[in-house]
Amino acid sequence: MNLADSEEMFAHLSARGYQRTDELEEADAVLINTCTVRDHAEHKAVSFLGRLGRWKKEKPGRRIIFAGCAAQRLGKTLQKKYPFLDILSGAKDIEHFSDALDKSGLFGPQTSQGETLPPGLTGYVTIMRGCNFACTYCIVPSVRGPVKCLPHADILAQVRRKVHAGAKEIMLLGQTVNAYQDGNVSFADLLNRASEIDGVARVGFTSPHPIYFTPEFLTAVKGNPKIARHLHLPAQSGSTKVLREMKRGYTREILLEKIKALQAEGFVISTDLIVGFPTETEEDFAQTLTLVDQAGFSTAYCYKYSPRQGTPAAQMKLHSQEVLEQRLDILLNKVRGLAERTYQAQVGTTQEVLFETENKGRSSGSFWVKTKRSYPIGSVQRVEIERADGTLLFARD
Ligand code: SF4
């Protein structure tokens, strides 16, 4: 999502004559687009900003923009601490980024439409911003605000532009992406309409929320092979009690029900799990372990709970580091090998592969597949899987 936002902001700089460079010494301006989901990411961004003080001192005409979620959270305190900062643009203001450039009077007038990088095979398209949930550990709603769905006509125009620039796969983005609704256009409608655009080979999306997987969604995907059959569905915990305390909006039973319905439509599901939420008991943690057994995730990203200042959970009593480490270790042992087993389970199946090189591509379920024969880059081919090695499938061709 941040990559897509960075592209959008860069387009406004490019409209004012700026070009990209990887060399800090060559640059006239630096745009730092930040994440604040974890403390570490925020620290890295702020310390980079601190280091830019000297860079700017060398040539005072140089410009610095600090944007995104950390900019939103830290606000004016940053400007006080780093007076050399030219523009502070929070995550809620991305749509007004062009106005902010103009208002500063530092970036010159807009002279063109602005350009973005050619998208490569995957074109990322933001369809909504913000989140209407209030998960007790999460900083996102306070920095990104409530959900705002972008007009479907603009999104489809954006998809056409990405395809025109070379994209074959479109990835629709949003914090709770499957909650999308624009008038009578639902998320399922949007997926279908995007997939009908000439040149679109596959449409994926991230990140969905379990409760928005409706029967309507399942019906829509059933008849549409262009909708990617992989999704990353954050579960966070296997305990209904902890899920309630996290305010996730579902129980373990509902979560498993949704997962099974999606898997019945051929979806491969990866997940995120948090260990050591403040109220998590040994019994709750054991339920996260059994969730892994029951859910059939293709892979799981596991995290120790880390408090984010300003969230309700940050007021709760923390577990010791020892407990966090212990539980993380146990969970990591549990999920180790999930991906390899999922890859093994594909042997003998037929997969639709979108080729990223002449001999390698990704299947609809997001498995990497290697072929002996060469195929045109960007083409979609059906291949039979002969064997698996680690996290790579080999085709019989
Ligand atoms: S659904 Fe919960 S975890 Fe996800 S962005 Fe919204 S508040 Fe954060």
Side-chain angles (χ1 to χ4, degrees):
M1 201 154 191
N2 265 18
L3 282 176
D5 287 349
S6 300
E7 277 302 309
E8 195 175 324
M9 287 188 272
F10 173 71
H12 293 299
L13 287 167
S14 141
R16 290 159 177 82
Y18 283 80
Q19 293 172 342
R20 252 171 249 261
T21 173
D22 289 333
E23 295 301 322
L24 186 60
E25 279 313 306
E26 273 181 11
D28 299 306
V30 171
L31 162 63
I32 310 169
N33 187 21
T34 59
C35 173
T36 189
V37 164
R38 292 177 70 78
D39 217 24
H40 182 63
E42 189 177 290
H43 276 162
K44 262 173 83 173
V46 174
S47 86
F48 180 54
L49 172 63
R51 291 201 300 279
L52 285 182
R54 188 184 299 164
W55 171 81
K56 179 146 178 176
K57 218 170 177 182
E58 284 166 13
K59 291 186 189 165
R62 286 170 163 171
R63 306 292 177 218
I64 303 173
I65 306 168
F66 195 82
C69 289
Q72 188 75 46
R73 198 181 85 77
L74 299 168
K76 298 244 180 303
T77 54
L78 269 183
Q79 209 130 28
K80 262 195 209 142
K81 192 161 176 209
Y82 304 102
F84 52 82
L85 176 58
D86 294 296
I87 294 186
L88 184 71
S89 176
K92 288 180 189 165
D93 294 327
I94 181 160
E95 276 138 75
H96 310 294
F97 186 68
S98 179
D99 299 338
L101 295 179
D102 286 342
K103 224 161 99 194
S104 72
L106 300 172
F107 291 85
Q110 194 170 332
T111 52
S112 72
Q113 277 292 314
E115 282 172 18
T116 52
L117 266 190
L121 280 185
T122 304
Y124 294 93
V125 177
T126 299
I127 68 167
M128 59 147 58
R129 299 190 188 283
C131 177
N132 285 347
F133 280 83
C135 299
T136 51
Y137 55 84
C138 179
I139 192 80
V140 168
S142 70
V143 289
R144 289 212 172 232
V147 164
K148 193 170 162 215
C149 294
L150 305 184
H152 69 276
D154 293 359
I155 294 168
L156 296 173
Q158 178 79 337
V159 172
R160 280 187 207 96
R161 278 197 289 277
K162 297 278 178 192
V163 172
H164 185 71
K168 298 284 179 200
E169 176 184 58
I170 296 296
M171 190 60 109
L172 302 180
L173 304 173
Q175 221 76 51
T176 51
V177 71
N178 51 343
Y180 180 87
Q181 189 76 39
D182 175 33
N184 56 6
V185 177
S186 68
F187 180 61
D189 296 331
L190 187 69
L191 279 175
N192 279 335
R193 289 195 198 184
S195 74
E196 283 158 12
I197 289 173
D198 256 3
V200 171
R202 185 178 290 163
V203 185
F205 54 91
T206 202
S207 295
H209 190 285
I211 68 161
Y212 294 108
F213 282 120
T214 56
E216 186 207 3
F217 170 84
L218 293 171
T219 312
V221 294
K222 202 186 267 297
N224 192 344
K226 284 192 182 176
I227 297 174
R229 292 303 197 262
H230 168 257
L231 53 89
H232 186 73
L233 187 65
Q236 310 301 21
S237 171
S239 152
T240 293
K241 176 184 141 276
V242 171
L243 290 168
R244 193 172 51 239
E245 285 149 357
M246 288 175 164
K247 289 209 175 148
R248 288 290 295 165
Y250 51 83
T251 60
R252 174 193 177 98
E253 290 67 33
I254 291 175
L255 176 67
L256 280 168
E257 208 176 280
K258 301 277 182 188
I259 289 173
K260 295 299 161 196
L262 289 161
Q263 286 168 336
E265 290 307 327
F267 279 93
V268 174
I269 301 176
S270 54
T271 197
D272 290 332
L273 295 166
I274 298 174
V275 298
F277 185 75
T279 59
E280 185 188 78
T281 61
E282 283 294 336
E283 168 58 20
D284 295 322
F285 174 59
Q287 291 193 31
T288 296
L289 299 176
T290 57
L291 181 78
V292 173
D293 291 328
Q294 284 177 24
F297 297 123
S298 62
T299 180
Y301 300 92
C302 308
Y303 304 92
K304 285 187 286 187
Y305 168 74
S306 89
R308 295 302 286 119
Q309 207 191 335
T311 60
Q315 316 295 322
M316 301 176 186
K317 190 168 176 302
L318 297 180
H319 285 293
S320 65
Q321 273 306 317
E322 199 189 338
V323 168
L324 293 177
E325 301 279 350
Q326 241 175 28
R327 291 186 188 173
L328 183 65
D329 257 16
I330 295 170
L331 184 60
L332 285 174
N333 268 327
K334 180 97 199 162
V335 305
R336 190 162 294 134
L338 273 186
E340 280 81 355
R341 284 201 289 281
T342 314
Y343 267 73
Q344 276 299 339
Q346 309 311 311
V347 174
T349 62
T350 300
Q351 302 278 335
E352 272 197 0
V353 180
L354 173 58
F355 279 80
E356 298 193 9
T357 71
E358 287 182 347
N359 301 97
K360 196 174 167 188
R362 261 183 315 112
S363 72
S364 183
S366 207
F367 299 113
W368 283 105
V369 180
K370 206 163 165 15
T371 56
K372 290 183 216 92
R373 276 179 56 188
S374 295
Y375 296 98
I377 294 173
S379 70
V380 175
Q381 313 285 340
R382 285 173 74 79
V383 297
E384 204 189 315
I385 304 304
E386 186 175 46
R387 65 186 177 90
D389 188 358
T391 50
L392 191 55
L393 299 176
F394 292 85
R396 185 194 313 278
D397 66 330

Short mmCIF file of all heavy atoms in Angstrom, two decimals, residues 37 130-142 175-176 207-209 234 236 246-248, ligand 1:
data_model
loop_
_atom_site.label_atom_id
_atom_site.label_comp_id
_atom_site.label_asym_id
_atom_site.label_seq_id
_atom_site.Cartn_x
_atom_site.Cartn_y
_atom_site.Cartn_z
N VAL A 37 2.97 0.99 11.69
CA VAL A 37 2.34 -0.20 12.26
C VAL A 37 3.21 -0.78 13.36
O VAL A 37 2.73 -1.18 14.41
CB VAL A 37 2.05 -1.24 11.16
CG1 VAL A 37 1.76 -2.61 11.75
CG2 VAL A 37 0.85 -0.80 10.35
N GLY A 130 -8.14 4.03 4.83
CA GLY A 130 -8.68 4.05 6.19
C GLY A 130 -9.29 2.73 6.61
O GLY A 130 -9.27 1.74 5.87
N CYS A 131 -9.83 2.71 7.84
CA CYS A 131 -10.38 1.48 8.41
C CYS A 131 -11.46 1.85 9.43
O CYS A 131 -11.27 2.76 10.22
CB CYS A 131 -9.26 0.69 9.09
SG CYS A 131 -9.88 -0.80 9.88
N ASN A 132 -12.60 1.11 9.37
CA ASN A 132 -13.69 1.39 10.33
C ASN A 132 -13.62 0.53 11.57
O ASN A 132 -14.47 0.64 12.44
CB ASN A 132 -15.05 1.15 9.66
CG ASN A 132 -15.39 2.27 8.70
OD1 ASN A 132 -14.74 3.33 8.72
ND2 ASN A 132 -16.37 2.07 7.85
N PHE A 133 -12.61 -0.35 11.66
CA PHE A 133 -12.46 -1.17 12.86
C PHE A 133 -11.69 -0.39 13.92
O PHE A 133 -11.17 0.70 13.63
CB PHE A 133 -11.74 -2.47 12.54
CG PHE A 133 -12.66 -3.48 11.93
CD1 PHE A 133 -12.94 -3.45 10.58
CD2 PHE A 133 -13.27 -4.44 12.71
CE1 PHE A 133 -13.80 -4.35 10.02
CE2 PHE A 133 -14.14 -5.35 12.16
CZ PHE A 133 -14.41 -5.30 10.81
N ALA A 134 -11.61 -0.96 15.09
CA ALA A 134 -10.83 -0.32 16.15
C ALA A 134 -10.13 -1.42 16.92
O ALA A 134 -10.26 -1.53 18.14
CB ALA A 134 -11.76 0.47 17.06
N CYS A 135 -9.39 -2.27 16.20
CA CYS A 135 -8.68 -3.36 16.87
C CYS A 135 -7.79 -2.73 17.95
O CYS A 135 -7.11 -1.74 17.68
CB CYS A 135 -7.85 -4.16 15.88
SG CYS A 135 -8.88 -4.91 14.59
N THR A 136 -7.83 -3.32 19.14
CA THR A 136 -7.27 -2.61 20.30
C THR A 136 -5.74 -2.50 20.28
O THR A 136 -5.17 -1.75 21.07
CB THR A 136 -7.71 -3.28 21.62
OG1 THR A 136 -7.42 -4.69 21.52
CG2 THR A 136 -9.20 -3.09 21.86
N TYR A 137 -5.08 -3.26 19.38
CA TYR A 137 -3.61 -3.20 19.32
C TYR A 137 -3.13 -2.32 18.16
O TYR A 137 -1.94 -2.13 17.98
CB TYR A 137 -3.03 -4.61 19.11
CG TYR A 137 -3.61 -5.30 17.90
CD1 TYR A 137 -3.09 -5.07 16.64
CD2 TYR A 137 -4.71 -6.13 18.02
CE1 TYR A 137 -3.64 -5.65 15.52
CE2 TYR A 137 -5.28 -6.73 16.91
CZ TYR A 137 -4.74 -6.48 15.66
OH TYR A 137 -5.31 -7.06 14.55
N CYS A 138 -4.08 -1.80 17.37
CA CYS A 138 -3.69 -1.26 16.06
C CYS A 138 -3.76 0.27 16.00
O CYS A 138 -4.73 0.87 16.44
CB CYS A 138 -4.59 -1.87 14.99
SG CYS A 138 -4.21 -1.26 13.34
N ILE A 139 -2.75 0.84 15.40
CA ILE A 139 -2.64 2.30 15.32
C ILE A 139 -3.29 2.84 14.04
O ILE A 139 -3.55 4.04 13.92
CB ILE A 139 -1.12 2.69 15.37
CG1 ILE A 139 -0.88 4.17 15.59
CG2 ILE A 139 -0.38 2.22 14.14
CD1 ILE A 139 -1.01 4.60 17.00
N VAL A 140 -3.59 1.93 13.11
CA VAL A 140 -4.04 2.38 11.78
C VAL A 140 -5.27 3.29 11.79
O VAL A 140 -5.25 4.36 11.17
CB VAL A 140 -4.25 1.16 10.83
CG1 VAL A 140 -4.98 1.56 9.56
CG2 VAL A 140 -2.90 0.55 10.49
N PRO A 141 -6.37 2.92 12.49
CA PRO A 141 -7.56 3.79 12.40
C PRO A 141 -7.26 5.22 12.85
O PRO A 141 -7.79 6.17 12.27
CB PRO A 141 -8.57 3.12 13.34
CG PRO A 141 -8.13 1.71 13.42
CD PRO A 141 -6.64 1.73 13.32
N SER A 142 -6.38 5.37 13.86
CA SER A 142 -6.15 6.74 14.32
C SER A 142 -5.25 7.52 13.36
O SER A 142 -5.31 8.74 13.31
CB SER A 142 -5.58 6.76 15.75
OG SER A 142 -4.29 6.27 15.74
N GLN A 175 -7.12 -1.29 3.37
CA GLN A 175 -6.86 -1.82 4.71
C GLN A 175 -7.84 -2.94 5.06
O GLN A 175 -7.47 -3.92 5.68
CB GLN A 175 -7.00 -0.68 5.72
CG GLN A 175 -5.95 -0.69 6.78
CD GLN A 175 -4.62 -0.19 6.26
OE1 GLN A 175 -4.56 0.86 5.65
NE2 GLN A 175 -3.57 -0.94 6.48
N THR A 176 -9.10 -2.78 4.66
CA THR A 176 -10.08 -3.87 4.74
C THR A 176 -10.71 -3.92 3.34
O THR A 176 -11.86 -3.54 3.14
CB THR A 176 -11.16 -3.61 5.81
OG1 THR A 176 -11.70 -2.29 5.59
CG2 THR A 176 -10.60 -3.68 7.22
N SER A 207 -5.48 -6.01 1.92
CA SER A 207 -5.69 -7.10 2.84
C SER A 207 -7.18 -7.22 3.14
O SER A 207 -7.79 -6.21 3.46
CB SER A 207 -5.05 -6.79 4.18
OG SER A 207 -3.68 -6.71 4.13
N PRO A 208 -7.70 -8.41 3.08
CA PRO A 208 -9.12 -8.58 3.38
C PRO A 208 -9.38 -8.76 4.87
O PRO A 208 -8.45 -9.07 5.63
CB PRO A 208 -9.46 -9.85 2.63
CG PRO A 208 -8.20 -10.64 2.66
CD PRO A 208 -7.06 -9.66 2.66
N HIS A 209 -10.62 -8.56 5.29
CA HIS A 209 -11.03 -8.86 6.66
C HIS A 209 -12.01 -10.03 6.60
O HIS A 209 -12.90 -10.04 5.74
CB HIS A 209 -11.70 -7.63 7.28
CG HIS A 209 -11.94 -7.77 8.74
ND1 HIS A 209 -12.93 -8.57 9.26
CD2 HIS A 209 -11.29 -7.24 9.81
CE1 HIS A 209 -12.89 -8.52 10.58
NE2 HIS A 209 -11.90 -7.72 10.94
N PRO A 234 -5.42 -12.04 7.70
CA PRO A 234 -4.89 -12.00 9.07
C PRO A 234 -5.88 -12.59 10.07
O PRO A 234 -7.00 -12.10 10.19
CB PRO A 234 -4.68 -10.50 9.32
CG PRO A 234 -4.64 -9.88 7.96
CD PRO A 234 -5.57 -10.70 7.12
N GLN A 236 -4.79 -13.47 13.47
CA GLN A 236 -4.26 -12.84 14.70
C GLN A 236 -4.29 -13.74 15.92
O GLN A 236 -3.34 -13.76 16.69
CB GLN A 236 -4.92 -11.49 15.02
CG GLN A 236 -4.98 -10.50 13.85
CD GLN A 236 -3.63 -10.11 13.28
OE1 GLN A 236 -2.64 -10.81 13.45
NE2 GLN A 236 -3.56 -9.02 12.54
N MET A 246 -9.31 -8.20 21.40
CA MET A 246 -8.64 -7.44 20.32
C MET A 246 -9.66 -6.62 19.52
O MET A 246 -9.28 -5.82 18.68
CB MET A 246 -7.94 -8.40 19.35
CG MET A 246 -6.69 -9.06 19.86
SD MET A 246 -6.12 -10.24 18.60
CE MET A 246 -4.43 -10.54 19.14
N LYS A 247 -10.95 -6.92 19.71
CA LYS A 247 -12.04 -6.30 18.93
C LYS A 247 -11.91 -6.59 17.45
O LYS A 247 -12.01 -5.70 16.61
CB LYS A 247 -12.10 -4.78 19.15
CG LYS A 247 -12.58 -4.36 20.51
CD LYS A 247 -13.25 -3.01 20.42
CE LYS A 247 -13.86 -2.63 21.75
NZ LYS A 247 -13.88 -1.23 22.04
N ARG A 248 -11.65 -7.87 17.14
CA ARG A 248 -11.48 -8.23 15.74
C ARG A 248 -12.79 -8.38 14.99
O ARG A 248 -12.82 -8.42 13.77
CB ARG A 248 -10.67 -9.55 15.63
CG ARG A 248 -9.22 -9.40 15.98
CD ARG A 248 -8.47 -8.63 14.94
NE ARG A 248 -8.42 -9.30 13.66
CZ ARG A 248 -8.08 -8.70 12.52
NH1 ARG A 248 -7.81 -7.41 12.50
NH2 ARG A 248 -8.04 -9.38 11.39
S1 SF4 B 1 -8.92 -4.18 10.71
FE1 SF4 B 1 -7.98 -3.90 12.74
S2 SF4 B 1 -5.81 -4.49 12.39
FE2 SF4 B 1 -6.69 -4.09 10.36
S3 SF4 B 1 -6.22 -1.93 9.97
FE3 SF4 B 1 -8.28 -1.99 10.87
S4 SF4 B 1 -7.95 -1.69 13.06
FE4 SF4 B 1 -5.97 -2.25 12.18
#
